[in-house]
Amino acid sequence: MFKALEDAAAGTRTALAAALEQIPFNNEGLVPAIAQDMASREVLMLAWMNRDALERTLAEGYACYWSRSRQTLWRKGETSGHLQRLHELRLDCDGDAVLLLVEQTGPACHTNRPSCFYLLVEGNQVRVTSEPA
Amino acid sequence: MFKALEDAAAGTRTALAAALEQIPFNNEGLVPAIAQDMASREVLMLAWMNRDALERTLAEGYACYWSRSRQTLWRKGETSGHLQRLHELRLDCDGDAVLLLVEQTGPACHTNRPSCFYLLVEGNQVRVTSEPA
């Protein structure tokens, strides 16, 4: 199905159920999911989704991931309050990566930084680019 | 090392070599890498890097990935000419995801669309949002 859509004109539609069936989840049943801030366009984090997390995210309108460390569904912000309200969910050409455009409440990172990507490579060093809260 | 940097103030520096040593590559030796257009801030694609791809990207200043389908290093644009000139490379808090800010030549997607994320979920459908070239 993803292959068939490669040549499809803009505006072509297909059933979500068929797409979900054909997502090539990895051997742990996961795909990587990128969260991007819809206002600043900053990439906030990369996490993982299984089919259940993907369906809950769509059904509930808030990002839900699979926690690989805790081996459980992880409703982002459930304990911290740092919810990600879903604006848009996209799949890539192969169906093996997810992009979420979100409205982020509070910091996205567990270090209380706005984004998880605060380690910038500069020459032969890595520099921390934002303050932990 | 990534753990130790969680509480580090902005401006803290550490050696790149140490960071590269401690990236928790998965059991295939890979980490996911997100390419984002530095001008439009659009997320272009998600691909995979092994340590070699990461070091070449930094050394050469152009994105280099690991092709899981071809099991080989993949200098993005090597055959298509659709190079990604590296502007910035970041690691996330756990060191297990990479974010590249790039200057993209031509389309990023192999379908000749600007971005790989052209499949937008809308209700119970998926809609193709850009024209293949």
Side-chain angles (χ1 to χ4, degrees), chain A residues 6 8 11-14 16 36 41 89-93 110 113 116-117 119 121-122 124 126 128-129, chain B residues 6 8 11-14 16 36 41 88-91 93 110 113 116-117 119 121-122 124 126 128-129:
Chain A
E6 288 187 356
T12 302
R13 286 164 189 277
T14 192
L16 172 61
Q36 182 180 24
R41 312 281 285 171
L89 190 147
R90 291 173 176 267
L91 299 171
D92 79 351
C93 47
H110 75 288
R113 293 179 175 90
C116 292
F117 291 96
L119 298 172
V121 176
E122 283 184 335
N124 60 3
V126 173
V128 175
T129 60
Chain B
E6 288 186 356
T12 303
R13 288 165 188 278
T14 191
L16 172 62
Q36 182 180 24
R41 314 279 287 168
E88 222 177 79
L89 190 147
R90 290 172 176 267
L91 299 170
C93 47
H110 76 288
R113 292 178 176 90
C116 292
F117 291 96
L119 299 172
V121 176
E122 284 185 334
N124 60 2
V126 172
V128 175
T129 59

Side-chain angles (χ1 to χ4, degrees), chain B residues 10-48:
Chain B
T12 303
R13 288 165 188 278
T14 191
L16 172 62
L20 290 175
E21 269 311 310
Q22 290 182 47
I23 290 176
F25 292 100
N26 70 11
N27 54 14
E28 295 174 285
L30 304 174
V31 285
I34 303 159
Q36 182 180 24
D37 189 287
M38 64 174 277
S40 69
R41 314 279 287 168
E42 187 173 19
V43 174
L44 300 172
M45 55 186 280
L46 183 142
W48 296 83

Side-chain angles (χ1 to χ4, degrees), chain A residues 81-102:
Chain A
H82 301 157
L83 299 165
Q84 296 178 332
R85 187 173 178 178
L86 186 68
H87 180 66
E88 224 178 76
L89 190 147
R90 291 173 176 267
L91 299 171
D92 79 351
C93 47
D94 303 319
D96 63 0
V98 176
L99 175 63
L100 312 173
L101 266 177
V102 301

